[in-house]
Amino acid sequence: LALVDSATVDQICDRLEQLRGALGSLGARAKTREDRMISLADLDQLRLEFGELSELAWSLRMVVVEPALRELASHAEALALRLGKQVRVVVDAGGAELERSLLERLHEPLLHLVHNAIDHGIEAPDAREAAGKPRQGTIHLSAEQRSSRIIIEMSDDGRGINRTKVLARARERGLIPDDAILTDAETDELIFLPSFSTAETVS
Protein backbone atom coordinates (compact mmCIF):
# COMPACT_ATOMS: atom_id res chain seq x y z
CA LEU A 1 0.00 0.00 0.00
CA ALA A 2 1.49 3.34 -1.07
CA LEU A 3 0.99 5.91 1.67
CA VAL A 4 0.64 9.65 1.14
CA ASP A 5 3.68 11.58 2.31
CA SER A 6 2.51 13.52 5.39
CA ALA A 7 5.29 16.11 4.99
CA THR A 8 4.00 16.99 1.51
CA VAL A 9 0.44 17.27 2.83
CA ASP A 10 1.72 19.67 5.51
CA GLN A 11 3.45 21.73 2.82
CA ILE A 12 0.26 21.93 0.78
CA CYS A 13 -1.74 23.05 3.83
CA ASP A 14 0.88 25.71 4.57
CA ARG A 15 0.75 26.93 0.95
CA LEU A 16 -3.04 27.13 1.06
CA GLU A 17 -2.87 29.22 4.21
CA GLN A 18 -0.34 31.54 2.56
CA LEU A 19 -2.56 31.89 -0.50
CA ARG A 20 -5.59 32.64 1.64
CA GLY A 21 -3.58 35.29 3.44
CA ALA A 22 -2.32 36.77 0.16
CA LEU A 23 -5.83 36.93 -1.31
CA GLY A 24 -7.16 38.50 1.88
CA SER A 25 -4.39 41.08 1.76
CA LEU A 26 -5.15 41.91 -1.88
CA GLY A 27 -8.82 42.29 -1.05
CA ALA A 28 -8.08 44.66 1.84
CA ARG A 29 -5.75 46.74 -0.33
CA ALA A 30 -8.31 46.91 -3.15
CA LYS A 31 -10.85 48.43 -0.76
CA THR A 32 -8.53 51.38 -0.21
CA ARG A 33 -8.11 52.07 -3.91
CA GLU A 34 -10.61 53.90 -6.07
CA ASP A 35 -9.81 51.80 -9.15
CA ARG A 36 -9.93 48.50 -7.22
CA MET A 37 -7.22 47.17 -9.58
CA ILE A 38 -4.68 44.41 -8.87
CA SER A 39 -1.15 45.09 -10.09
CA LEU A 40 0.75 42.84 -12.50
CA ALA A 41 3.23 42.14 -9.71
CA ASP A 42 0.38 40.87 -7.54
CA LEU A 43 -0.82 38.59 -10.36
CA ASP A 44 2.69 37.26 -10.97
CA GLN A 45 3.06 36.44 -7.30
CA LEU A 46 -0.28 34.60 -7.25
CA ARG A 47 0.66 32.71 -10.41
CA LEU A 48 3.91 31.64 -8.74
CA GLU A 49 2.14 30.52 -5.58
CA PHE A 50 -0.46 28.51 -7.49
CA GLY A 51 2.27 26.91 -9.62
CA GLU A 52 4.19 25.75 -6.57
CA LEU A 53 0.98 24.44 -4.99
CA SER A 54 0.17 22.51 -8.18
CA GLU A 55 3.63 20.88 -8.16
CA LEU A 56 3.19 19.83 -4.54
CA ALA A 57 -0.25 18.37 -5.25
CA TRP A 58 1.12 16.46 -8.26
CA SER A 59 3.94 15.03 -6.15
CA LEU A 60 1.32 13.24 -4.03
CA ARG A 61 0.60 11.07 -7.08
CA MET A 62 4.23 9.95 -7.25
CA VAL A 63 5.22 6.78 -5.41
CA VAL A 64 8.55 5.00 -5.03
CA VAL A 65 8.90 1.97 -7.28
CA GLU A 66 10.87 -0.28 -4.93
CA PRO A 67 7.90 -1.70 -2.93
CA ALA A 68 6.21 -2.76 -6.19
CA LEU A 69 9.40 -4.49 -7.36
CA ARG A 70 9.77 -6.25 -4.01
CA GLU A 71 6.21 -7.50 -4.34
CA LEU A 72 7.15 -8.94 -7.75
CA ALA A 73 10.19 -10.54 -6.13
CA SER A 74 7.92 -12.27 -3.59
CA HIS A 75 5.75 -13.60 -6.43
CA ALA A 76 8.86 -14.91 -8.18
CA GLU A 77 10.18 -16.69 -5.10
CA ALA A 78 6.78 -18.26 -4.33
CA LEU A 79 6.35 -19.47 -7.93
CA ALA A 80 9.88 -20.89 -8.04
CA LEU A 81 9.20 -22.81 -4.83
CA ARG A 82 6.03 -24.34 -6.31
CA LEU A 83 7.92 -25.38 -9.45
CA GLY A 84 10.83 -26.90 -7.53
CA LYS A 85 13.30 -24.25 -8.67
CA GLN A 86 15.77 -22.20 -6.67
CA VAL A 87 15.89 -18.48 -7.32
CA ARG A 88 17.34 -15.36 -5.78
CA VAL A 89 15.75 -12.04 -6.71
CA VAL A 90 17.89 -8.90 -6.54
CA VAL A 91 15.99 -5.61 -6.40
CA ASP A 92 17.73 -2.31 -7.13
CA ALA A 93 15.36 0.63 -7.44
CA GLY A 94 17.17 3.42 -5.62
CA GLY A 95 14.75 6.28 -5.07
CA ALA A 96 13.03 5.99 -8.46
CA GLU A 97 9.46 7.28 -8.46
CA LEU A 98 6.56 6.81 -10.85
CA GLU A 99 3.05 8.20 -11.10
CA ARG A 100 0.77 6.00 -9.00
CA SER A 101 -1.78 5.00 -11.69
CA LEU A 102 0.97 4.23 -14.23
CA LEU A 103 2.73 1.95 -11.75
CA GLU A 104 -0.56 0.14 -11.16
CA ARG A 105 -1.02 -0.32 -14.92
CA LEU A 106 2.50 -1.77 -15.20
CA HIS A 107 1.90 -4.40 -12.51
CA GLU A 108 0.36 -7.08 -14.77
CA PRO A 109 2.92 -6.76 -17.61
CA LEU A 110 5.80 -6.88 -15.13
CA LEU A 111 4.24 -9.86 -13.35
CA HIS A 112 3.97 -11.59 -16.72
CA LEU A 113 7.69 -11.03 -17.33
CA VAL A 114 8.58 -12.41 -13.90
CA HIS A 115 6.46 -15.51 -14.51
CA ASN A 116 8.14 -16.02 -17.88
CA ALA A 117 11.55 -15.82 -16.23
CA ILE A 118 10.60 -18.51 -13.71
CA ASP A 119 8.62 -20.73 -16.11
CA HIS A 120 10.94 -20.57 -19.11
CA GLY A 121 14.21 -18.91 -18.16
CA ILE A 122 15.41 -20.32 -14.85
CA GLU A 123 16.21 -24.02 -15.15
CA ALA A 124 15.67 -26.71 -12.52
CA PRO A 125 18.63 -26.99 -10.07
CA ASP A 126 19.94 -30.25 -11.58
CA ALA A 127 19.78 -28.86 -15.12
CA ARG A 128 21.65 -25.72 -14.06
CA GLU A 129 24.31 -27.77 -12.32
CA ALA A 130 24.72 -29.96 -15.43
CA ALA A 131 25.21 -26.78 -17.48
CA GLY A 132 27.95 -25.59 -15.11
CA LYS A 133 25.78 -22.97 -13.43
CA PRO A 134 24.96 -22.42 -9.76
CA ARG A 135 21.93 -24.46 -8.71
CA GLN A 136 20.24 -21.22 -7.70
CA GLY A 137 19.16 -18.90 -10.48
CA THR A 138 19.22 -15.11 -10.22
CA ILE A 139 16.67 -12.55 -11.36
CA HIS A 140 17.50 -8.84 -11.34
CA LEU A 141 14.74 -6.24 -11.06
CA SER A 142 15.89 -2.64 -11.34
CA ALA A 143 14.46 0.83 -11.79
CA GLU A 144 16.45 3.94 -12.70
CA GLN A 145 15.34 7.54 -12.91
CA ARG A 146 16.66 9.31 -16.01
CA SER A 147 15.49 12.89 -16.07
CA SER A 148 11.71 12.73 -16.57
CA ARG A 149 11.83 9.05 -17.55
CA ILE A 150 12.12 5.87 -15.55
CA ILE A 151 13.76 2.73 -16.91
CA ILE A 152 12.54 -0.58 -15.44
CA GLU A 153 14.61 -3.62 -16.36
CA MET A 154 14.39 -7.33 -15.61
CA SER A 155 17.01 -9.94 -16.42
CA ASP A 156 17.77 -13.52 -15.44
CA ASP A 157 20.65 -15.96 -15.84
CA GLY A 158 18.48 -18.76 -17.22
CA ARG A 159 18.51 -20.55 -20.55
CA GLY A 160 17.23 -17.62 -22.59
CA ILE A 161 14.41 -17.61 -25.12
CA ASN A 162 13.72 -20.79 -27.09
CA ARG A 163 12.87 -19.01 -30.34
CA THR A 164 12.01 -22.23 -32.18
CA LYS A 165 9.39 -23.04 -29.57
CA VAL A 166 8.09 -19.45 -29.53
CA LEU A 167 7.61 -19.44 -33.32
CA ALA A 168 5.93 -22.85 -33.23
CA ARG A 169 3.46 -21.75 -30.55
CA ALA A 170 2.75 -18.46 -32.35
CA ARG A 171 1.95 -20.34 -35.58
CA GLU A 172 -0.13 -22.86 -33.64
CA ARG A 173 -2.24 -20.05 -32.20
CA GLY A 174 -2.56 -18.27 -35.54
CA LEU A 175 -0.63 -15.23 -34.36
CA ILE A 176 1.66 -15.31 -37.38
CA PRO A 177 1.32 -16.93 -40.84
CA ASP A 178 2.92 -20.36 -41.25
CA ASP A 179 5.33 -18.99 -43.87
CA ALA A 180 6.32 -15.89 -41.88
CA ILE A 181 10.06 -15.30 -41.50
CA LEU A 182 10.83 -13.28 -38.36
CA THR A 183 14.09 -11.82 -37.12
CA ASP A 184 15.31 -12.77 -33.66
CA ALA A 185 14.12 -9.40 -32.31
CA GLU A 186 10.66 -9.85 -33.88
CA THR A 187 10.43 -13.36 -32.45
CA ASP A 188 11.36 -12.12 -28.99
CA GLU A 189 8.57 -9.52 -29.18
CA LEU A 190 5.99 -12.33 -29.44
CA ILE A 191 6.45 -13.23 -25.77
CA PHE A 192 4.95 -9.86 -24.79
CA LEU A 193 1.57 -10.70 -26.33
CA PRO A 194 -1.22 -11.05 -23.73
CA SER A 195 -1.42 -14.58 -22.24
CA PHE A 196 1.24 -15.88 -24.66
CA SER A 197 3.11 -18.85 -23.21
CA THR A 198 5.06 -21.85 -24.46
CA ALA A 199 4.53 -23.72 -21.18
CA GLU A 200 2.62 -26.98 -21.42
CA THR A 201 0.98 -26.19 -18.09
CA VAL A 202 0.26 -22.55 -17.30
CA SER A 203 1.35 -21.58 -13.81
Side-chain angles (χ1 to χ4, degrees):
L1 177 64
L3 300 177
V4 173
D5 181 17
S6 60
T8 303
V9 174
D10 289 342
Q11 283 184 291
I12 289 176
C13 290
D14 288 343
R15 288 289 186 182
L16 285 171
E17 282 299 314
Q18 290 172 12
L19 278 171
R20 188 170 70 170
L23 289 171
S25 175
L26 285 175
R29 286 160 54 191
K31 288 180 181 179
T32 64
R33 300 176 183 171
E34 290 184 4
D35 56 11
R36 305 289 177 93
M37 296 291 287
I38 298 176
S39 71
L40 289 177
D42 291 332
L43 289 175
D44 284 341
Q45 183 59 35
L46 283 175
R47 190 178 296 110
L48 178 63
E49 292 285 345
F50 275 111
E52 292 176 351
L53 180 60
S54 177
E55 288 181 10
L56 283 171
W58 177 255
S59 72
L60 288 178
R61 297 182 61 84
M62 303 298 289
V63 293
V64 292
V65 176
E66 184 170 350
L69 295 189
R70 293 208 176 277
E71 182 182 348
L72 290 171
S74 296
H75 279 294
E77 290 164 353
L79 177 59
L81 187 62
R82 291 200 301 272
L83 297 179
K85 297 181 179 182
Q86 298 176 14
V87 67
R88 177 176 69 104
V89 183
V90 179
V91 174
D92 180 18
E97 294 183 332
L98 195 59
E99 200 272 329
R100 186 188 306 270
S101 65
L102 181 55
L103 186 58
E104 290 171 354
R105 286 162 54 195
L106 283 174
H107 176 75
E108 287 299 325
L110 289 173
L111 186 60
H112 183 59
L113 286 178
V114 167
H115 276 225
N116 271 344
I118 300 295
D119 278 335
H120 309 297
I122 302 296
E123 310 94 330
D126 289 347
R128 289 180 61 84
E129 191 171 53
K133 297 180 178 181
R135 292 177 64 83
Q136 182 185 59
T138 301
I139 293 176
H140 286 269
L141 288 168
S142 67
E144 180 184 356
Q145 201 90 38
R146 295 182 188 172
S147 186
S148 60
R149 296 186 178 187
I150 182 170
I151 308 298
I152 298 177
E153 294 183 339
M154 195 206 75
S155 63
D156 65 72
D157 65 349
R159 64 171 66 90
I161 297 174
N162 185 332
R163 295 189 177 99
T164 301
K165 199 169 185 179
V166 168
L167 286 170
R169 184 56 57 90
R171 291 190 175 102
E172 177 185 310
R173 293 183 56 186
L175 299 174
I176 58 173
D178 289 341
D179 58 351
I181 300 176
L182 275 62
T183 65
D184 286 349
E186 290 170 336
T187 302
D188 293 345
E189 285 294 320
L190 293 173
I191 70 171
F192 293 102
L193 294 174
S195 76
F196 183 87
S197 177
T198 58
E200 298 302 326
T201 302
V202 179
S203 64

